[in-house]
Amino acid sequence: MSTFKIRKITDSFHPSNKNSIDQIFEILRSHFSSVKEDKINEILEQMKDPIKYKFSSSIFVAEDNQANVKGFAIVFYMPDTNFCYLDYLAVNPEKTSSGIGGAIYERIREEARLLDTIGIFMECLPDDEALCKDKSDIKQNQARLAFYERYGARVIINTKYETPVKPEDDCPPYLVFDNLGNDYDLSAKNAKKIVKAILERKYPDYCPQEYVKMVVSSIKNDPVELREYKYINKNHKVEKHKAIKNRIPLIVNDKHEIHHVKERGYIESPVRISSILKEISKLQAFELKTSRSFPDKYILEVHNPKYFNYFKKVCSSFAEGKSIYPYVFPLRNATRPPNDLSVLAGYYCIDTFTPLNKNAFIASRAAVNCALTGANLLLEGYHSAYALVRPPGHHAERDVFGGFCYFNNASIAAQLLSNYGKVAILDIDYHHGNGHQQIFYSRDDVLTVSIHGNPSFAYPYFSGFSEEIGEGIGTGYNQNYPLKENINGEEYLKALLKAIKRIKDFKPEYLVISLGLDIAKGDPTGTWSLSATDFKNNGREIGKLSFPILFIQEGGYKNRTLGINAKNFFEGFLSTRIK
Ligand SMILES: [Zn+2]
């Protein structure tokens, strides 16, 4: 099978989505002649104004690597009645490749489960010759119903749903229900609400009120009856899925351990990851996902190629176990970089405690892959993801490394996401996210917000002041909240709420959180005193946000409480997470 990926589109006006949407409408026009031009405009209107239409619309699009659309589905989510409605599922007949339709439908079922809905409803043209004067499409209708039966989706029977609205209408559709493999019986009461919602919202101008009433009152069986399996063996087992609401895909950097600097006092150590993993796995909310590989070009959109090449080259030049630390810095003449690789370290670094060694590059490169995998999961429609990585990244700027960071994982992920809509980065590490600030300083499509110890006493000392607000068109799109030396959980929460307010006003499509846990009481690099309960409170506030959220691990060095604080943070997050 040729490769393709499925992406969820909620904003039809973003330029990068426009190309896909144009292709979708081209497919609709050329292959589904029954779809009229005003129908297409209506879909765009619906996406723009979910309040007016009382449902939110999403397009799931399957694309190959050249962004050719191979298939798509249009799905409505009706929160008041808690179901999904599949409006279209179409495969591009010119680019057919087996499995596309099934993959898209499986993705929609996953979405319906993530939203914790009772299931998916859809209309399918009948396979009953008695309902159709025109017999030519019966075979196609049979194939479609058989396709959905494989997922356990069956026709609702003994209602008047398949009554023509106008006498001249031929082949009136069935209503089909997929209960997502749960043993869920659809009550007559719910069915009435749902049928009313479908007819009124999907056909506001076509179905008269009397027609809607007639169909709704025809629902008498409780629970409603579903047609026996017709195309597959009735003992066919539809795969059952455990509830996956509140499930967070987790991507762990499996190459982090090789980056182990054993010098005394180097606190950015491998045990950090295992401490977090051990505790958060108790929540049973995380689903481990394999990290995928991404080309260097994603890094080069954020970091200077000269720095990238230097870092790669110098690391590969070391013998295993040997590290160098930067020791001369180009304060006097930055235009004349020295030739010697070890002297050059200071040209690309902001401090003297972040070493270069053979494994630093390999581990950092793998961490970037994890962050990009997380970003892609959001593009595919996951509501959140957590890249549990080290080395961290938020101190790495476009041209320089430092603060235990080499590649700016969160910024690289944000840059990828920014191709699909506005992005906010919220840095809640104890230390200022100078990398994010510097990388996006003159942009208005990526908002950077950081809450941290005031640089007058905290690393990185030279940035993070409140008057740094961005430049050019980026003015107003960088926001720093430098806090005093002694802060308790309550005071922290006040700053967090301000930051959240700023992000909500920005209305991003995606939120990337630089998740530092060094705000905790007793952290060797911090001065604050947040307890496990405070972490839970912080998570709770972030859980209330409705944007897809990508968490990227940054600092946090008090290993005894690190995992417990992470667990509490995510416990709070999940307790209020809006579906
Ligand atoms: Zn930190």
Side-chain angles (χ1 to χ4, degrees):
M1 197 199 300
S2 62
T3 56
F4 61 92
K5 63 174 186 203
I6 297 173
R7 196 156 70 79
K8 179 182 173 184
I9 297 176
T10 49
D11 173 3
S12 58
F13 293 93
H14 194 271
S16 65
N17 293 334
K18 202 180 165 299
N19 168 43
S20 312
I21 300 227
D22 287 348
Q23 288 184 62
I24 286 169
F25 288 145
E26 201 42 53
I27 298 170
L28 278 173
R29 278 189 201 104
S30 54
H31 300 289
F32 301 87
S33 49
S34 60
V35 180
K36 301 200 183 72
E37 206 73 9
D38 51 349
K39 171 77 199 165
I40 292 174
N41 289 323
E42 189 186 297
I43 294 169
L44 286 178
E45 277 303 308
Q46 284 162 351
M47 291 187 79
K48 207 166 58 178
D49 197 350
I51 308 290
K52 179 179 161 197
Y53 290 90
K54 294 188 191 148
F55 56 81
S56 58
S57 315
S58 307
I59 297 180
F60 290 86
V61 59
E63 293 168 320
D64 65 13
N65 292 334
Q66 283 79 46
N68 294 311
V69 171
K70 304 186 129 214
F72 66 92
I74 298 169
V75 181
F76 304 145
Y77 165 52
M78 312 227 185
D80 54 350
T81 30
N82 195 29
F83 69 98
C84 286
Y85 181 82
L86 174 58
D87 196 32
Y88 272 96
L89 194 168
V91 175
N92 187 349
E94 280 166 12
K95 299 198 164 63
T96 16
S97 120
S98 62
I100 301 261
I104 297 173
Y105 190 62
E106 276 172 34
R107 179 63 193 81
I108 293 161
R109 296 184 93 219
E110 172 133 326
E111 180 74 4
R113 287 195 292 268
L114 281 166
L115 291 164
D116 203 23
T117 63
I118 60 170
I120 302 167
F121 290 81
M122 70 195 98
E123 289 185 339
C124 287
L125 294 177
D127 52 0
D128 180 354
E129 295 201 1
L131 288 171
C132 298
K133 289 182 219 93
D134 179 359
K135 315 287 181 217
S136 61
D137 289 334
I138 290 274
K139 268 217 153 56
Q140 205 186 327
N141 300 351
Q142 287 171 337
R144 187 155 297 181
L145 284 158
F147 168 85
Y148 289 116
E149 260 192 21
R150 288 201 293 277
Y151 298 93
R154 289 180 287 152
V155 177
I156 293 176
I157 53 168
N158 292 332
T159 78
K160 295 210 165 108
Y161 196 90
E162 49 281 343
T163 307
V165 180
K166 295 176 181 163
E168 66 271 23
D169 290 351
D170 191 29
C171 282
Y174 294 134
L175 186 61
V176 172
F177 175 51
D178 178 349
N179 69 6
L180 310 175
N182 303 315
D183 293 323
Y184 175 83
D185 285 330
L186 180 61
S187 70
K189 192 173 158 227
N190 276 340
K192 280 174 196 269
K193 274 194 236 164
I194 287 164
V195 165
K196 189 165 184 282
I198 292 172
L199 294 177
E200 284 181 351
R201 293 173 196 177
K202 187 169 155 58
Y203 307 105
D205 305 320
Y206 195 74
C207 292
Q209 266 307 315
E210 308 82 72
Y211 177 87
V212 177
K213 267 190 203 142
M214 182 278 293
V215 176
V216 168
S217 63
S218 75
I219 301 168
K220 298 222 160 65
N221 294 343
D222 192 15
V224 298
E225 246 181 291
L226 301 179
R227 191 170 82 175
E228 265 312 323
Y229 286 102
K230 190 167 171 180
Y231 299 100
I232 58 167
N233 186 328
K234 67 176 170 196
N235 296 321
H236 166 83
K237 283 267 175 288
V238 177
E239 193 200 338
K240 286 228 165 43
H241 292 270
K242 54 179 190 289
I244 53 163
K245 131 186 156 176
N246 290 347
R247 200 188 53 176
I248 304 176
L250 171 69
I251 315 105
V252 183
N253 183 6
D254 60 0
K255 290 210 176 60
H256 80 90
E257 272 170 308
I258 59 169
H259 178 58
H260 192 179
V261 180
K262 294 187 177 123
E263 272 100 4
R264 248 176 94 87
Y266 197 82
I267 49 177
E268 204 285 284
S269 61
V271 68
R272 300 176 56 236
I273 299 282
S274 47
S275 316
I276 294 174
L277 258 185
K278 184 177 155 224
E279 287 296 327
I280 63 167
S281 57
K282 292 178 186 165
L283 292 175
Q284 306 203 325
F286 292 91
E287 187 196 22
L288 211 53
K289 294 270 183 189
T290 317
S291 176
R292 309 170 195 167
S293 294
F294 293 85
D296 294 341
K297 70 169 189 187
Y298 294 101
I299 300 177
L300 300 176
E301 284 178 20
V302 159
H303 289 291
N304 186 336
K306 283 187 183 151
Y307 160 57
F308 177 88
N309 291 333
Y310 168 72
F311 180 39
K312 188 174 180 177
K313 189 172 163 191
V314 72
C315 288
S316 67
S317 74
F318 292 121
E320 191 81 40
K322 183 181 179 300
S323 285
I324 62 152
Y325 288 83
Y327 56 95
V328 212
F329 297 89
L331 297 183
R332 290 169 198 85
N333 191 354
T335 60
R336 297 290 294 270
N339 292 325
D340 183 274
L341 280 182
S342 69
V343 179
L344 200 52
Y347 188 78
Y348 290 113
C349 190
I350 57 175
D351 54 47
T352 56
F353 59 83
T354 311
L356 294 171
N357 56 51
K358 193 172 205 63
N359 291 329
F361 178 83
I362 300 168
S364 316
R365 188 62 187 79
V368 169
N369 276 340
C370 294
L372 287 169
T373 303
N376 263 275
L377 290 168
L378 294 198
L379 292 179
E380 288 166 24
Y382 281 91
H383 302 192
S384 57
Y386 177 23
L388 178 50
V389 295
R390 59 173 290 278
H394 72 146
H395 294 308
E397 299 184 357
R398 185 175 145 71
D399 309 283
V400 291
F401 67 100
F404 310 138
C405 304
Y406 304 91
F407 290 136
N408 195 318
N409 306 308
S411 285
I412 293 166
Q415 168 62 24
L416 168 68
L417 291 169
S418 75
N419 291 311
Y420 301 94
K422 290 197 294 183
V423 181
I425 303 178
L426 172 62
D427 190 314
I428 53 173
D429 188 278
Y430 172 84
H431 306 94
H432 174 230
N434 58 295
H436 311 323
Q437 169 171 315
Q438 191 266 342
I439 288 162
F440 297 109
Y441 208 56
S442 53
R443 284 181 49 179
D444 62 356
D445 62 327
V446 179
L447 171 73
T448 43
V449 178
S450 179
I451 308 168
H452 47 262
N454 194 303
S456 62
F457 60 84
Y459 185 88
Y461 303 109
F462 294 97
S463 69
F465 298 99
S466 52
E467 60 268 28
E468 297 159 5
I469 57 165
E471 66 184 11
I473 57 161
T475 305
Y477 295 93
N478 183 73
Q479 179 97 46
N480 287 326
Y481 297 96
L483 305 183
K484 56 189 199 293
E485 202 156 354
N486 297 302
I487 290 287
N488 62 29
E490 217 172 295
E491 292 165 294
Y492 185 88
L493 194 60
K494 272 190 199 146
L496 179 64
L497 288 171
K498 271 193 224 164
I500 285 175
K501 165 89 172 53
R502 178 70 190 87
I503 289 166
K504 276 173 147 173
D505 291 345
F506 178 67
K507 297 193 178 73
E509 205 70 37
Y510 303 98
L511 173 61
V512 177
I513 293 189
S514 268
L515 179 61
L517 301 166
D518 40 10
I519 57 178
K521 187 176 169 62
D523 190 281
T525 69
T527 57
W528 296 343
S529 58
L530 276 78
S531 66
T533 314
D534 298 324
F535 277 93
K536 195 179 279 182
N537 293 339
N538 295 348
R540 209 174 273 143
E541 292 307 323
I542 290 170
K544 291 177 189 168
L545 296 171
S546 57
F547 334 107
I549 301 179
L550 173 60
F551 296 98
I552 311 258
Q553 187 61 46
E554 303 286 359
Y557 307 97
K558 188 177 163 61
N559 295 326
R560 203 161 52 77
T561 55
L562 189 58
I564 296 163
N565 290 336
K567 173 174 164 266
N568 273 274
F569 175 82
F570 282 108
E571 207 172 335
F573 174 75
L574 290 165
S575 71
T576 51
R577 184 66 177 147
I578 295 164
K579 287 169 289 193

